[in-house]
Amino acid sequence: MSVIMATATSLAVGSIRSRRSTSGVTRFKMAVRSSSISVAVAPMLTKLQQDCATPLPVLRSVADSMSADMRAGLAVDGGSDLKMILSYVDSLPTGDEKGLFYALDLGGTNFRVLKVQLGGKDERVISTESEQLSIPQELMSATSEELFDFIASVLENFAQKGGNFNLPPGRKGEIGFTFSFPVKQTSIDSGILIKWTKGFAVSGTAGKDVVACLNEAMDRKGIDMRVSALVNDAVATLAGARYWDDDVMVAVILGTGTNACYVERMDAIPKLQGDFSPSRRTIVNLEWGAFRKGLPLTVFDRDMDAASINPGEQIFEKTISGMYLGEIARRALMYMAEEGSLFGKSVPEKLSLPFVLRTPDLSAMQQDTTDDLQTVGSVLYDVAGVESDLNSRKIVLEVCNTFVKRAGRLAGAGIVGILQKIEEDTKGAIFGKRTVVAMDGGLYERYSQYRRYLKEAVAELIVPETSRNIVIEHSKDGSGIGAALLAATNSKYERNL
Ligand code: ADP
Ligand code: MG
């Protein structure tokens, strides 16, 4: 697919006066407006909107392909783009869990450590403490030892701050390790890294057991703790949300990357050989970032993919998750600036820097309610050195909205794909009763337009009587507590205290 090439006419660019506001944010006032900008760019925008369109048939086909890919991945390993990884989480938290447990959460951007004191059915979560750090950029391309040493040292500092938490004598601290990259689980407390995603290029981890990597780092530091559960972030979110609500069946992460998991009957997993009674259930991790069928993609998606460290992989993730939305929009804006003089005769140099425009910038711009789109103007200037007039700001907003709409709606279609797969097998178990989809991740939490587009797509795909039963709910910090709960459920000690 190519975007229409429009010849740039010579444009009168609005002259712009810059002033510093009292808050220190650079704001702009337009002196002259150029109406000719939109003449060159308008057909490009129209073409972009056409290429990104997600009308009902597109959504339906994505949902159906998601269901079909799930089945193929459950039938046999390697049978589908979706790995349908068995999580080994067969017992979900009940509320009876008691004691002190730790969680580590290695995301794509953030690293969190958490401890939680659980008090059983009556007291539930007595107290929690947590710390969050940005993962230092250099560690994303460091060696495996360096990355895991960093994790271990943060844990060590955190665990030493006693607070109100106490472990009974003779008991080691138990950790639920949330690891948000594709792992082939070999048991509840071990798993081999298949590959890094989300821009990570750490050497020496792929093919290794990530729990062993962490244990070795803890040994190097003399930390006497053990990992009781290795879980994916979606799995941890499902466990955390299920602790409060028995109707939770699906969990979806929309943060730096994206993933989803759900509760499946063991006898519906052909590749899981064995004799299981129908009631036995387990959580299956789709690794849905690798989904790719029927997605409406543009030249900007293809170029971004080709320039990425994992070309051809994680196409759904690259279309709908937070790491990439800003970059796709930057590429489209760059094209419009070069070929349609969107920002005047010269193309701002900074705009050519990959990933300079981030998804939180798109979301900040989309929250702008001022008449002259001041926030859009200052974000463009501060982030990319772009001087803009009202016309170009409007176009920038349209570009952001086009990609965010596509992303939110495709994520919604993916969710319906999961729900309909379970419904096909269990007739009424999903659409005939209240069913909760637990959502987490910075993108879902902080981008209101994204949330709205996602929910709209779900409502379009499901008939109204049933859509009332489907609750899409933000499960704040579910993954941290969820991992700690799974450490409790899978505790090495006979009895929880
Ligand atoms: P992680 O992916 O490391 O687990 P989060 O779930 O907190 O961490 O997600 C962080 C991602 O969420 C960021 O990479 C960014 O893409 C997205 N994000 C953060 N803040 C915002 C925001 N204000 N608006 C839109 N997206 C955001
Ligand atoms: Mg996360």
Side-chain angles (χ1 to χ4, degrees), residues 105 107 180 233:
D105 182 348
S180 315
D233 53 350

Side-chain angles (χ1 to χ4, degrees), residues 73 82 111 128 179 370:
L82 300 182
F111 173 61
T128 56
F179 188 79
T370 60

Side-chain angles (χ1 to χ4, degrees), residues 105-108 110 178 180 198 233 253 255 441 479:
D105 182 348
L106 185 72
N110 299 314
T178 304
S180 315
K198 300 182 277 196
D233 53 350
I253 299 291
S479 73

Side-chain angles (χ1 to χ4, degrees), residues 285-335:
N285 162 14
L286 273 71
E287 282 300 329
W288 84 351
F291 178 76
R292 58 192 312 133
K293 299 214 173 73
L295 302 175
L297 300 178
T298 67
V299 65
F300 308 112
D301 299 290
R302 298 210 166 86
D303 289 351
M304 180 185 70
D305 176 45
S308 70
I309 58 169
N310 52 352
E313 292 176 8
Q314 300 294 103
I315 303 299
F316 197 43
E317 180 160 270
K318 285 172 178 159
T319 317
I320 70 166
S321 81
M323 175 165 169
Y324 304 98
L325 290 177
E327 172 63 5
I328 307 170
R330 183 198 67 82
R331 285 174 176 271
L333 294 175
M334 189 65 195
Y335 170 77

Side-chain angles (χ1 to χ4, degrees), residues 99-102 115 117 162-169 497:
L100 168 63
F101 295 92
Y102 289 84
K115 50 186 162 184
Q117 188 83 43
N164 296 322
F165 300 85
N166 275 316
L167 267 178
L497 295 172

